[in-house]
Amino acid sequence: MDWIRICPLDAILPGGGACALIGARQVALFRPYADERVFALDNVDPFAHVSVLSRGLIVEHQGELWVASPLKKQRFRLSDGQCLEDPDYSVLSLPVEVREGMVYLPVQKD
Amino acid sequence: MTATRLLVVGNGMVGQRFLEELVDKAWPGEYDITVIGAEPRPAYDRVHLSSYFAHHTDEDLALAKPDFFTRHGIHLHLGEAVKRIDRARHQVETNLGAVIGYDKLVLATGSFPWVPPIAGSAHPACFVYRTIDDLKAIEARARGAKSGVVVGGGLLGLEAAGALKALGLETHVIEYAPVLMAEQLDRMGGEMLRRKIDALGVQVHTGKDTREIVTHGQGHKLRFADGGVLDVDLIVFSTGIRPQDTLARYGELPVAERGGIVIDDHCLTADPDIYAIGECAAWRGQFFGLVAPGYKMAQVAADHLMGCDNAFTGADMSAKLKLLGVSVGSIGDAHGRTPGAQSYVYQDDHGGVYKKLVVSADGRELLGAVLVGDVDDYGELLQMKRNALPMPAHPDTLILPAYAGARPASGVSALPGSAVICSCFDVSKDRIAAAVAGGCRSVEEIKAATGAGTGCGGCVPLIAQVLNAELSRQGIEVSNHLCQHFAHSRQALFHLIKVNQVKTFDEAIRRFGQGYGCEVCKPAVASILASAWNDYALRPDLAVLQETNDAFLGNLQKDGSYSVIPRMAGGEVTPEGLMALAQVARDFQLYTKVTGAQRIGLFGARKGDLPRIWARLIDAGFESGQAYAKSLRMVKTCVGSTWCRYGVQDSVGFGVELEHRYKGLRTPHKMKFGISGCTRECAEAQGKDVGIIATDAGWNLYVGGNGGMKPRHAELLAADLDRDTLLRYLDRFVMLYAQSADKLQRTAAWVESLDGGIDYLRTTIVDDALGLGAQLEADLAMLRAAYQCEWQRTLADPAHPSRFADFINSPAADPGLQYVPVRGQLRPAALEERRTIAIHRVED
Ligand code: SRM
Ligand SMILES: Cc1cc2nc3c(=O)[nH]c(=O)nc-3n(C[C@H](O)[C@H](O)[C@H](O)COP(=O)(O)OP(=O)(O)OC[C@H]3O[C@@H](n4cnc5c(N)ncnc54)[C@H](O)[C@@H]3O)c2cc1C
Ligand code: SF4
Ligand code: FES
């Protein structure tokens, strides 16, 4: 797998998210703690078909971390994109790597 | 195993419910399902049909998710009707000539509107009110029309009348019986309803027998048996429904005397392979024109098909409705037809309320009730009747208004566990209790877990009662706990944070909570920290706690863009200010609108553009209007003594002063003020959290008003105040609210929650009985000193552009934001209007 460099890890606030553009695709990055753990999900809220998930709050339920959509608060699991309210509306999750303080996402292949 | 071929005829409300029940319970592949529906669209919510006039889209009424049929492999034939059933061959024939075989057949063909045989009733200006297509046709005809009549004053007729009225027609209702809604209401209840409907400008004619409709050059003339006539342009018949049982009649299945396919307790017809459910079915000779019994039948039939035990045991025709804005409820034996029945009546002509209870001869059992104008007691009375609960010693206390004396404590705790709370989805009190035990903590969660409350919605107040009763019964404190992460009320947490000088969320959760935090406690703690210290909301550690609105200092719109609403204190704006706004709106192509709060909103701003937009506005002298924040929104003013002939004080000047005094202060929920220059109250101050009305001697101060979901009039806290006293009281009020209200609790709900309500506030604020006054004033002064325009502060921060940029790794603008023109401006493109943006798959 080829990786593309996105941004310095520090550009994402601990506890916050950010949106990366790869080709035409928008990917939400989340950094729940002040460390190197980063998660990536498709940025599109599947309920509203709007690209906003990176702007949601990172929240904890059932012992796991989720992002709550900023639009109507449905929650998506950071680890795999599964939707808590309705699994039919889950989103894609992507692998992420952090190397030497930089965040990497997989490159798209056409 | 080969799949059972299941054929469902009719894709209406009940047919759809049946499918949902079945796919939920069956193994994948157990059934090969075909659905044939005569209407051109899949099932929709007929109960809320009239709302079609408001939004005009099929999707809003749709009952199934768009991919429901494909996902479950259901073959759906729309716009096709079954013509004939060949029971011997186990097949049906459709009007398109298709022949389809079945192992099991479900008839869910509903009913059809019955039109009396009146000469002229077949004219194209005559309509019925049943389907979306009916409504489309009515609307098209109404465009050239001035007046319309609904023949039939039953509940559907009144609903149709409401629709005609909303279409702008002069509206008449003709009823054959002497009263409206003769099925559900007694004579006096019908009279009360009639008066209320008359008052709305709908002309009601009762006791009229329509004989003939004559079409003349300009319109149509209804002729009545008593010789009277009525000229109208459009006619809607709502004279009853009949079960759609033709298929059974031709298929030689027994039908009931008054129509409807005869079914047994399992919803089976005389043919063991054919079920009938919904309005087309007759159980013990009766058919049911409501959706709840149909839903129950859907469940019974699905269960029986799969070999599970369940039975239809009848349903009463109790109903609660809102017709033309008038609430009406009818329960059980509303007419008191049970031998020996006695009744209690309460009538308030002034308030337009009529209530009647029908009780058994021995006074022990509730048989029925009629409620007009006030249906708050509907849920409780219905439960009382259904569960044959014991009546209080004086049954009349059940319908007397609360102020008439002590109400016997009854409520949901008296209900047996088997009591059905939601009849649409057949959810019992026990199931709600189980859901609460399983972790549901709000009505929303109960809806999601059980389906209760997601049909007609009539049971929602009762669900809330059961929820609260269960929470306290199961020893779960009626959650004033913030959430699972903080076992404290907001008020307690506020004090802990203040007293311990806590300045960050991390410290707060470490010391007073547990875990990581969630969408409830993060913003709530951010709000508490702000009310305690008024620090910059976008300090990095605070920014990640904020909802997106606060995080980007604008309100998120449905398409992912934001709104920009600068402060316009008191609603004042200079021509230069207007020009500056206009230029910004034009340059950034923002949709512009006067908001409901006396200021101008610019909508559709890209996140990445927000800093540049605000830089321009701040240059022009504007500051953040905090339309995104839980804080003071605005002070609505009227022109007052400056301009108005009647004004006795300078309401604008004082309003502007107040807005600047309290702006920026974060509170548990938003606050709105209003200030009127005289008692005519043009600023609607009494509908605001704080309302101030000028008097000859000074100002009257009202608090705890609300518009929005549950309007409430503000209550008078103190009268004839001078400026300084008023400010002192107001400082105390605002600060007390900030410190002690619950999360997201507006002042109205807060005042109501206080023991002693407004009197408590008066003692605390005006009399200063608790000696809190000085401290509250000092707290407020400290916060006021810390005020800064959040946008100004943000622009001064060198890191701001990257915070707002659409993407962290690219300067590009989000291509997802797309707009189309509307009335000279731009609005977000709907999904189907958006251009597709090529998406490539990311391979892993
Ligand atoms: C823009 C505006 C409608 C308009 O086109 O005029 C509006 C828009 C929204 N209102 Fe409002 N309300 C607007 C005036 C009102 C008014 C009228 C008024 O202020 O006099 C009311 C009734 C008065 C009241 O609040 O008592 C009002 C009662 C609500 C409520 C119900 C509050 C309640 O206590 O019941 C909500 C929901 C909430 O806050 O939880 C709400 C929530 C909202 C939200 C924030 C919904 C949301 O989460 O997206 C809307 C987005 C605001 C935005 O995009 O900027 N809006 N909203 C008005 C902005 C006023 C402003 O300049 O700041
Ligand atoms: C304006 C309005 C307001 C209402 N308000 C309320 C309310 O407040 N509360 C309440 O409880 N009820 C209300 N109702 C009644 C409620 O809508 C019905 O009880 C419910 O729709 C019945 O569902 P059903 O599936 O039995 O029939 P329907 O929803 O009528 O569905 C039957 C379907 O079968 C189709 N069909 C018929 N024959 C054939 C055939 N031979 N082949 C193929 N398809 C066929 C029909 O075209 C139709 O689409 C209201 C109804 C209306 C019209
Ligand atoms: S009433 Fe308020 S919240 Fe509802 S749509 Fe209008 S602006 Fe939005
Ligand atoms: S009774 Fe209709 S939704 Fe519950």
Side-chain angles (χ1 to χ4, degrees):
Chain A
M1 187 155 44
D2 293 332
W3 297 86
I4 177 170
R5 184 173 0 175
I6 302 297
C7 65
L9 179 63
D10 290 343
I12 313 176
L13 288 177
C19 183
L21 185 67
I22 313 182
R25 168 171 227 126
Q26 305 197 12
V27 179
L29 296 170
F30 300 99
R31 185 186 179 199
Y33 304 96
D35 60 16
E36 296 207 334
R37 277 172 284 181
V38 177
F39 298 86
L41 300 178
D42 198 318
N43 197 43
V44 175
D45 174 330
F47 292 92
H49 303 287
V50 172
S51 188
V52 292
L53 288 189
S54 62
R55 294 176 240 165
L57 287 173
I58 305 175
V59 302
E60 178 194 51
H61 292 284
Q62 307 172 350
E64 295 184 278
L65 291 180
W66 314 71
V67 59
S69 169
L71 281 165
K72 299 223 171 132
K73 300 276 171 0
Q74 292 93 349
R75 290 154 293 190
F76 304 88
R77 188 152 60 199
L78 294 191
S79 60
D80 63 359
Q82 165 135 335
C83 175
L84 182 62
E85 281 73 14
D86 184 347
D88 286 350
Y89 285 81
S90 297
V91 299
L92 202 71
S93 93
L94 286 79
V96 204
E97 283 198 0
V98 177
R99 283 181 247 138
E100 286 147 21
M102 281 292 181
V103 180
Y104 292 80
L105 283 174
V107 163
Q108 57 174 64
K109 294 206 190 100
D110 295 309
Chain B
M1 188 187 82
T2 54
T4 307
R5 291 171 310 159
L6 177 68
L7 181 63
V8 181
V9 184
N11 187 227
M13 295 190 76
V14 174
Q16 181 62 27
R17 181 89 213 122
F18 171 81
L19 292 172
E20 311 247 349
E21 290 280 340
L22 195 77
V23 298
D24 217 34
K25 291 173 179 160
W27 294 104
E30 192 176 348
Y31 293 95
D32 177 15
I33 308 175
T34 303
V35 176
I36 304 180
E39 289 188 67
R41 52 184 65 79
Y44 52 89
D45 184 355
R46 213 177 293 289
V47 169
H48 294 105
L49 186 63
S50 300
S51 73
Y52 178 80
F53 284 132
H55 49 68
H56 286 101
T57 60
D58 296 5
E59 294 86 65
D60 281 305
L61 285 176
L63 287 175
K65 286 184 188 156
D67 60 346
F68 173 83
F69 296 97
T70 46
R71 189 149 47 88
H72 296 289
I74 298 173
H75 316 286
L76 179 64
H77 302 233
L78 291 176
E80 186 168 354
V82 169
K83 245 174 49 189
R84 214 171 62 84
I85 307 173
D86 186 341
R87 287 167 54 203
R89 292 211 179 98
H90 273 65
Q91 65 191 30
V92 305
E93 195 186 309
T94 76
N95 62 338
L96 303 183
V99 174
I100 301 168
Y102 65 83
D103 299 317
K104 297 282 178 186
L105 179 64
V106 177
L107 301 175
T109 48
S111 58
F112 63 91
W114 177 77
V115 178
I118 296 174
S121 65
H123 189 277
C126 295
F127 299 90
V128 293
Y129 201 83
R130 175 98 196 156
T131 65
I132 289 185
D133 287 342
D134 292 336
L135 267 60
K136 285 185 174 166
I138 291 174
E139 189 171 38
R141 188 85 190 188
R143 263 179 226 128
K146 287 205 185 61
S147 62
V149 64
V150 177
V151 182
L155 57 91
L156 281 186
L158 295 178
E159 171 121 11
L164 293 192
K165 181 118 206 321
L167 286 172
L169 300 186
E170 174 197 313
T171 305
H172 300 262
V173 173
I174 305 293
E175 170 57 49
Y176 175 74
V179 287
L180 292 174
M181 286 183 67
E183 283 277 307
Q184 293 86 2
L185 299 183
D186 64 343
R187 188 167 184 125
M188 278 149 83
E191 268 307 307
M192 179 67 80
L193 179 64
R194 181 216 173 103
R195 254 177 281 153
K196 297 195 123 191
I197 288 177
D198 273 339
L200 294 168
V202 171
Q203 299 174 42
V204 179
H205 315 262
T206 48
K208 287 265 179 203
D209 181 5
T210 312
R211 281 294 166 82
E212 190 186 14
I213 298 168
V214 189
T215 302
H216 48 82
Q218 291 77 39
H220 309 275
K221 195 185 283 300
L222 273 65
R223 284 193 196 285
F224 304 111
D226 61 8
V229 295
L230 177 69
D231 284 295
V232 290
D233 301 326
L234 171 166
I235 299 148
V236 178
F237 278 97
S238 178
T239 33
I241 54 169
R242 296 289 182 270
Q244 182 52 275
D245 55 11
T246 348
L247 287 177
R249 289 177 193 269
Y250 292 154
E252 285 167 356
L253 284 169
V255 294
E257 199 178 315
R258 282 186 290 161
I261 310 164
V262 171
I263 56 167
D264 65 10
D265 291 358
H266 302 301
C267 299
L268 267 185
T269 63
D271 181 326
D273 289 325
I274 305 182
Y275 296 85
I277 54 178
E279 287 187 344
C280 66
W283 178 82
R284 303 201 181 161
Q286 190 192 1
F287 73 92
F288 301 88
L290 292 173
V291 72
Y295 278 179
K296 177 72 190 180
M297 290 180 196
Q299 197 193 53
V300 169
D303 279 344
H304 187 261
L305 191 59
M306 273 176 296
C308 307
D309 210 23
N310 201 344
F312 184 74
T313 52
D316 65 40
M317 299 302 271
S318 301
K320 180 171 98 171
L321 307 141
K322 204 170 176 134
L323 297 161
L324 291 150
V326 182
S327 302
V328 176
S330 161
I331 296 174
D333 181 7
H335 297 272
R337 292 190 180 124
T338 314
Q342 299 182 333
S343 48
Y344 293 86
V345 171
Y346 170 81
Q347 180 162 0
D348 164 9
D349 281 338
H350 175 72
V353 176
Y354 172 80
K355 303 187 198 180
K356 178 166 94 168
L357 285 187
V358 179
V359 301
S360 58
D362 59 6
R364 295 237 186 94
E365 213 186 308
L366 181 66
L367 300 173
V370 177
L371 304 168
V372 178
D374 173 4
V375 293
D376 286 354
D377 302 326
Y378 176 82
E380 232 170 84
L381 293 175
L382 182 62
Q383 292 298 339
M384 199 166 233
K385 149 107 181 30
R386 286 214 179 126
N387 300 290
L389 298 183
M391 299 272 286
H394 301 286
D396 47 351
T397 51
L398 291 171
I399 46 172
L400 288 178
Y403 58 75
R407 266 283 171 95
S410 53
V412 292
S413 50
L415 293 179
S418 58
V420 173
I421 301 293
C422 172
S423 27
C424 287
F425 288 88
D426 194 27
V427 181
S428 63
K429 182 180 162 193
D430 275 344
R431 254 182 77 204
I432 296 180
V436 175
C440 291
R441 291 293 175 269
S442 66
V443 173
E444 285 319 306
E445 285 170 7
I446 291 176
K447 280 184 176 175
T450 65
T454 58
C456 70
C459 59
V460 171
L462 219 56
I463 297 178
Q465 283 182 36
V466 176
L467 168 68
N468 287 333
E470 278 308 308
L471 285 173
S472 50
R473 206 181 55 79
Q474 299 182 2
I476 304 160
E477 207 165 315
V478 178
S479 222
N480 62 359
H481 288 182
L482 217 46
C483 65
Q484 49 180 329
H485 303 105
F486 285 93
H488 296 286
S489 68
R490 181 186 180 278
Q491 181 176 11
L493 194 58
F494 186 96
H495 289 295
L496 287 171
I497 284 179
K498 186 112 199 270
V499 171
N500 292 288
Q501 299 271 317
V502 173
K503 301 275 169 90
T504 66
F505 179 81
D506 285 349
E507 192 185 344
I509 199 163
R510 191 161 32 75
R511 294 181 60 179
F512 314 122
Q514 55 165 16
Y516 183 85
C518 68
E519 66 276 27
V520 175
C521 59
K522 283 182 166 190
V525 170
S527 155
I528 292 176
L529 290 169
S531 299
W533 318 117
N534 215 0
D535 282 332
Y536 173 46
L538 298 191
R539 197 177 72 199
D541 66 301
L542 294 178
V544 295
L545 306 175
Q546 313 281 11
E547 304 255 19
T548 188
N549 288 0
D550 288 276
F552 297 106
L553 306 175
N555 272 308
L556 179 66
Q557 304 297 310
K558 62 192 286 188
D559 67 338
S561 67
Y562 289 82
S563 66
V564 169
I565 305 186
R567 187 167 302 292
M568 247 172 223
E572 258 185 357
V573 59
T574 61
E576 288 70 28
L578 272 182
M579 282 191 273
L581 264 183
Q583 274 160 3
V584 169
R586 195 190 49 203
D587 293 353
F588 290 88
Q589 298 204 306
L590 304 177
Y591 169 89
T592 307
K593 174 179 184 299
V594 174
T595 72
Q598 275 196 349
R599 47 200 195 162
I600 292 174
L602 310 178
F603 297 80
R606 291 171 178 279
K607 181 156 71 84
D609 284 343
L610 285 171
R612 283 188 296 144
I613 292 173
W614 275 102
R616 294 257 310 261
L617 291 173
I618 285 169
D619 266 352
F622 286 103
E623 61 181 346
S624 169
Q626 282 177 312
Y628 47 81
K630 306 293 179 226
S631 66
L632 177 68
R633 288 289 159 86
M634 83 310 178
V635 180
K636 178 170 178 174
T637 68
C638 71
V639 285
S641 60
T642 320
W643 291 98
C644 177
R645 282 178 289 163
Y646 297 108
V648 292
Q649 306 278 356
D650 175 15
S651 45
V652 181
F654 199 21
V656 170
E657 180 183 350
L658 289 173
E659 186 158 338
H660 287 306
R661 186 178 180 88
Y662 298 106
K663 70 187 177 189
L665 202 98
R666 301 280 168 138
T667 35
H669 206 319
K670 60 192 172 196
M671 280 195 302
K672 298 173 177 186
F673 290 10
I675 175 164
S676 287
C678 85
T679 169
R680 285 169 191 73
E681 248 286 64
C682 297
E684 300 169 307
Q686 290 166 97
K688 301 276 183 276
D689 299 84
V690 169
I692 298 169
I693 301 177
T695 66
D696 290 332
W699 306 95
N700 284 351
L701 174 58
Y702 295 80
V703 295
N706 207 163
M709 295 174 255
K710 193 162 172 272
R712 179 180 194 267
H713 274 145
E715 293 171 282
L716 184 67
L717 184 70
D720 292 332
L721 303 174
D722 59 53
R723 172 187 172 279
D724 292 345
T725 315
L726 187 142
L727 290 181
R728 204 164 62 241
Y729 291 173
L730 208 44
D731 283 1
R732 294 175 184 178
F733 172 79
V734 168
M735 215 52 231
L736 195 62
Y737 167 60
Q739 299 187 352
S740 68
D742 204 356
K743 58 175 193 290
L744 297 183
Q745 189 177 37
R746 288 286 291 268
T747 59
W750 174 62
V751 174
E752 281 182 0
S753 76
L754 295 172
D755 201 2
I758 188 78
D759 295 326
Y760 169 83
L761 280 185
R762 204 170 291 118
T763 339
T764 315
I765 291 173
V766 179
D767 309 336
D768 199 10
L770 304 178
L772 293 174
Q775 185 60 48
L776 292 171
E777 287 165 41
D779 285 349
L780 191 110
M782 189 269 283
L783 295 181
R784 246 158 40 79
Y787 171 80
Q788 48 188 342
C789 164
E790 280 161 348
W791 265 110
Q792 213 161 356
R793 166 69 217 257
T794 300
L795 296 174
D797 181 350
H800 80 255
S802 62
R803 270 211 59 183
F804 287 88
D806 284 352
F807 301 108
I808 196 156
N809 63 335
S810 156
D814 178 357
L817 295 184
Q818 297 179 11
Y819 296 89
V820 293
V822 61
R823 298 180 294 279
Q825 306 200 58
L826 295 179
R827 64 155 172 87
L831 195 54
E832 60 281 5
E833 292 168 322
R834 284 192 224 161
R835 282 174 284 110
T836 9
I837 306 155
I839 301 273
H840 305 280
R841 253 197 86 70
V842 181
E843 304 278 335
D844 45 16

